[in-house]
Amino acid sequence: MIASLRGRLLEKHPNFVTIDAGGVGYAVTVPVSTFSQIGGIGEEVRLLIYTHVREDTLALYGFAGGREKELFEKLITISGIGPRLAVTILSGLPTDELLDAIRVGDAKRLTRIPGVGRKTGERIALELREKLEPLDGEPREGGSISDGMQRDVVSTLVNLGCNRAAADKAVRKAVAEGAPVEFELLFRRSMELISR
């Protein structure tokens, strides 16, 4: 399996690039985020690679960073989503927005991506929501506030009758604002944000 490629960029298009690595030109399908991050033609580039092998095909999918590759790998575990659609999904929304839409279960935002219908959007939101721990290279929100504490605050808000998506969003916003590390203060700030 090819895990990464480093070489000179021969061709660059919004959905694929060609990399010369050791005299061999590799055609690699990339999402728009990777296209935007890599250098120009003739420059040296390094991509993380997902190798997709089928009976009749060997296809390479490249990513500038670990977050996009991990999210791609999670997307293709969902029934009905193959590598090409996963790349389209990664290209359809910036990674942070895509992660936010999945975490809050916003299937409607996902259906704005070409090729993602209502059922697929709902499936993505439902199946990936629980699987999304912070991805490699993704900042752990608030730094010192543990994921466990955030889950406890969300759970408490839900037990008090708040909508789960609203609770998730409020806790994330409170953490992003730099809410204190103590459970009670994080809980109170999240409650304030929900009641706005």
Side-chain angles (χ1 to χ4, degrees):
M1 292 297 228
I2 299 171
S4 69
L5 275 177
R6 188 176 70 197
R8 192 168 51 89
L9 193 60
L10 296 178
E11 283 183 87
K12 181 179 179 184
H13 303 281
N15 60 342
F16 83 93
V17 297
T18 304
I19 298 174
D20 176 4
V24 178
Y26 293 91
V28 182
T29 302
V30 296
V32 170
S33 56
T34 294
F35 170 80
S36 305
Q37 292 176 50
I38 60 176
I41 291 175
E43 292 182 32
E44 182 164 306
V45 296
R46 179 180 178 273
L47 293 179
L48 299 174
I49 300 293
Y50 175 85
T51 307
H52 181 69
V53 181
R54 281 193 341 212
E55 256 178 51
D56 56 346
T57 309
L58 173 71
L60 303 179
Y61 295 87
F63 308 92
R67 292 175 73 199
E68 287 80 10
K69 183 173 185 249
E70 285 183 60
L71 187 50
F72 171 87
E73 290 172 341
K74 289 180 187 302
L75 284 166
I76 61 174
T77 65
I78 298 172
S79 174
I81 297 182
R84 286 214 176 268
L85 181 54
V87 167
T88 301
I89 292 167
L90 288 172
S91 296
L93 286 173
T95 305
D96 290 333
E97 280 186 45
L98 180 58
L99 290 168
D100 184 53
I102 294 168
R103 286 186 174 127
V104 299
D106 189 353
K108 190 173 184 179
R109 193 171 1 160
L110 296 172
T111 60
R112 293 185 194 140
I113 300 168
V116 178
R118 183 181 57 80
K119 287 183 179 179
T120 302
E122 289 171 354
R123 206 175 313 126
I124 293 169
L126 180 68
E127 292 186 31
L128 288 191
R129 182 195 249 146
E130 298 302 318
K131 295 179 183 178
L132 286 182
E133 291 300 317
L135 301 176
D136 184 33
E138 182 179 359
R140 299 200 177 247
E141 299 169 2
S144 56
I145 298 178
S146 73
D147 293 336
M149 184 188 297
Q150 291 179 53
R151 280 193 297 271
D152 289 345
V153 171
V154 169
S155 178
T156 303
L157 291 168
V158 170
N159 289 339
L160 291 173
C162 296
N163 172 287
R164 178 170 289 281
D168 279 334
K169 187 174 183 179
V171 171
R172 276 197 324 281
K173 186 170 183 183
V175 170
E177 290 176 349
V181 183
E182 293 131 43
F183 175 86
E184 184 177 348
L185 297 174
L186 177 59
F187 172 77
R188 286 186 181 173
R189 179 62 187 141
S190 300
M191 280 290 286
E192 288 172 16
L193 291 169
I194 286 176
S195 61
R196 279 187 182 174

